[in-house]
Amino acid sequence: METTGTRRSLAWLPVIWCLTRTLLLLWVLKVYVFPGPDVTSDVHVIYRGWNDVLRSGTFPLEDVTWQYPPAAALAILSPALLPFLDYATAFFVLVCVTDLAVLALLAYAGRRPGRSPRGAWVWTAGVPLLGPTVYARYDVMVTAVAVAALLAGARHPRALGALAAFGALLKVWPAMLLLAARRRSAWVTALGTGLLVSALFLLTVPGPFAFLTFQRDRGTEVESLGALVFHVARHFGWQGEVKLNYGSIEFLGPYVSEVSTGALFFTGAAFGWLVLWRLLARHFEEHTLADAAFVAVLMFTTTSRVISPQYMVWLVGLAAVCLCFPGSRMRLPVALVLVACFVTVLEFPLYFADVVASNGLGLTLLFLRNGLLVAAALIAARALWRATVPGTAPGREPAGAAGERSAVLTEPEPAGARREAGDLLPPGQPS
């Protein structure tokens, strides 16, 4: 009966996916115009400009808006795979194909014994909640690598390591896939892959890591948690301005550097908490790697100086993998993130003018979206801690017994033993 129910649930997925993705394509192709600023200008102008520079054999070293690791060049150059289409159309089609590939991975995982189709449904419903912006950025491509790494990681730690390293060279955050990886082979493969790909870029293209300087110099973007200070302060005479800076709309003026430093402090505190959790965690289950990755990326997104709308697709992808596992503790945080996705499309692009103006509607939307992210991060972190750290939840076995099974960074058991206990091994992690 459970298998039949799963099949019926998955049978509707292609229908819902096709309807929602057709709508997204109609929006980005401007068959129907979505209200608010034109979210496709990044592809038509910025990405295409980068594409021209990259094809000349160098990174955009003079463009401060280029703030991405070297493998991002592959995403920017990818429309060349469809030479019969213009650059922007080819990009949108490739993002849609990648979206479909993620759905296929999650649907396949949901059909396996002991897994759930909820993950595929989270992806199907969550992506269109972000509106056309999600197809007008390359973040779906990065998320696809993270989802593949996570789903492969339970039985193939080397695949987890290789995909996590490659994902980190696309957009940094997939490095957090390795947060709870317990097998040395995953870390060794990640290190080897990262060094190899980095060396290839260093030897063949000038300036592959110039983005580090550009990222360092960013300020406080108007949609971030820290920006709420200035949105409110504007109503009490704060003498600053809102301006396009380093490729995003940021606050500039008195005390902005202090707030940006504060955001970095909270990000550092989140990192410290994650390190402490990793040192104390002993109870690992098959969903722990996915749960930990979701918590890590959620915490870093929430505390960042920049919360661009496309960042939410990272959380949707990781949330989808979490809910592939019925035992995941992340159901409530996932629900909060999905609601935050809907609020995100309201604040950008629909009412972005109100956000920039710091008026009542803009403030309400920002407080609601960022409040949902803060609540989701706190609830998710508490759930992960209670589920994995000995002595923090009732009904746990002695720490010594759990510790024997969860030794950090050990090699896999012999093949014969793994055939019996394979499903108990922790999955890989997205970052």
Side-chain angles (χ1 to χ4, degrees):
M1 289 297 293
E2 184 178 348
T3 302
T4 302
T6 298
R7 287 177 179 172
R8 286 176 180 172
S9 176
L10 292 174
W12 281 99
L13 275 175
V15 177
I16 305 300
W17 186 91
C18 286
L19 290 174
T20 54
R21 274 45 178 193
T22 298
L23 187 58
L24 289 177
L25 284 173
L26 291 174
W27 279 331
V28 293
L29 294 173
K30 298 184 181 178
V31 176
Y32 297 107
V33 177
F34 197 84
D38 179 12
V39 300
T40 67
S41 60
D42 277 31
V43 178
H44 285 285
V45 179
I46 299 175
Y47 284 17
R48 176 177 280 173
W50 289 342
N51 175 73
D52 294 341
V53 174
L54 289 165
R55 292 182 66 177
S56 72
T58 183
F59 283 91
L61 301 179
E62 304 301 322
D63 188 349
V64 296
T65 62
W66 175 261
Q67 299 168 8
Y68 308 108
L74 302 177
I76 302 303
L77 292 168
S78 63
L81 296 172
L82 303 176
F84 48 89
L85 296 174
D86 67 82
Y87 181 87
T89 302
F91 183 86
F92 300 142
V93 170
L94 288 172
V95 172
C96 185
V97 170
T98 307
D99 180 357
L100 180 60
V102 175
L103 176 68
L105 287 172
L106 292 166
Y108 175 77
R111 293 173 63 94
R112 292 176 57 189
R115 300 291 175 87
S116 169
R118 290 191 187 95
W121 277 109
V122 167
W123 179 257
T124 301
V127 169
L129 286 177
L130 293 168
T133 307
V134 75
Y135 269 23
R137 308 290 187 270
Y138 81 93
D139 294 82
V140 170
M141 299 175 178
V142 185
T143 305
V145 175
V147 169
L150 186 67
L151 294 175
R155 297 176 181 273
H156 306 287
R158 289 182 177 85
L160 163 64
L163 289 169
F166 180 69
L169 289 170
L170 278 170
K171 207 162 188 181
V172 181
W173 67 265
M176 286 182 278
L177 292 167
L178 297 169
L179 176 64
R182 297 190 293 147
R183 305 199 181 283
R184 186 181 295 113
S185 55
W187 290 85
V188 171
T189 305
L191 180 61
T193 301
L195 291 174
L196 176 61
V197 176
S198 296
L200 288 174
F201 279 108
L202 284 167
L203 292 172
T204 57
V205 188
F209 293 99
F211 79 97
L212 293 171
T213 300
F214 300 153
Q215 277 286 358
R216 181 195 63 199
D217 294 336
R218 294 196 74 162
T220 298
E221 190 255 348
V222 294
E223 297 165 274
S224 65
L225 186 62
L228 291 172
V229 173
F230 301 110
H231 282 293
V232 174
R234 292 175 85 181
H235 293 271
F236 294 91
W238 176 72
Q239 298 299 312
E241 60 180 338
V242 178
K243 187 176 179 181
L244 180 63
N245 190 51
Y246 286 95
S248 63
I249 305 297
E250 297 181 353
F251 280 113
L252 299 175
Y255 307 110
V256 171
S257 61
E258 286 81 358
V259 170
S260 296
T261 301
L264 291 174
F265 170 80
F266 282 111
T267 298
F271 179 75
W273 184 91
L274 290 166
V275 171
L276 180 63
W277 168 80
R278 190 64 186 86
L279 292 173
L280 298 180
R282 293 293 181 271
H283 304 295
F284 285 81
E285 301 176 60
E286 64 174 358
H287 54 79
T288 302
L289 286 172
D291 287 357
F294 176 69
V295 171
V297 176
L298 179 56
M299 293 176 76
F300 277 92
T301 300
T302 303
T303 59
S304 174
R305 293 174 294 172
V306 179
I307 306 181
S308 296
Q310 63 268 23
Y311 292 9
M312 299 298 293
V313 77
W314 313 344
L315 300 175
V316 172
L318 303 188
V321 179
C322 287
L323 293 202
C324 282
F325 301 95
S328 173
R329 271 69 171 182
M330 297 297 127
R331 292 188 184 183
L332 177 55
V334 166
L336 293 175
V337 165
L338 291 178
V339 176
C341 287
F342 176 69
V343 180
T344 296
V345 80
L346 295 180
E347 63 91 358
F348 184 90
L350 255 114
Y351 299 108
F352 191 59
D354 297 277
V355 171
V356 173
S358 302
N359 65 23
L361 177 58
L363 273 173
T364 300
L365 291 174
L366 276 186
F367 268 103
L368 181 57
R369 196 280 302 273
N370 291 345
L372 286 165
L373 290 179
V374 170
L378 294 175
I379 293 169
R382 180 176 183 271
L384 179 66
W385 186 279
R386 287 174 58 84
T388 56
V389 176
T392 57
R396 291 294 186 189
E397 61 188 304
E404 291 178 5
R405 289 202 313 275
S406 59
V408 178
L409 304 181
T410 57
E411 287 293 342
E413 301 173 68
R418 286 193 67 190
R419 277 195 295 269
E420 280 186 40
D423 287 340
L424 297 178
L425 295 174
Q429 264 185 311
S431 123

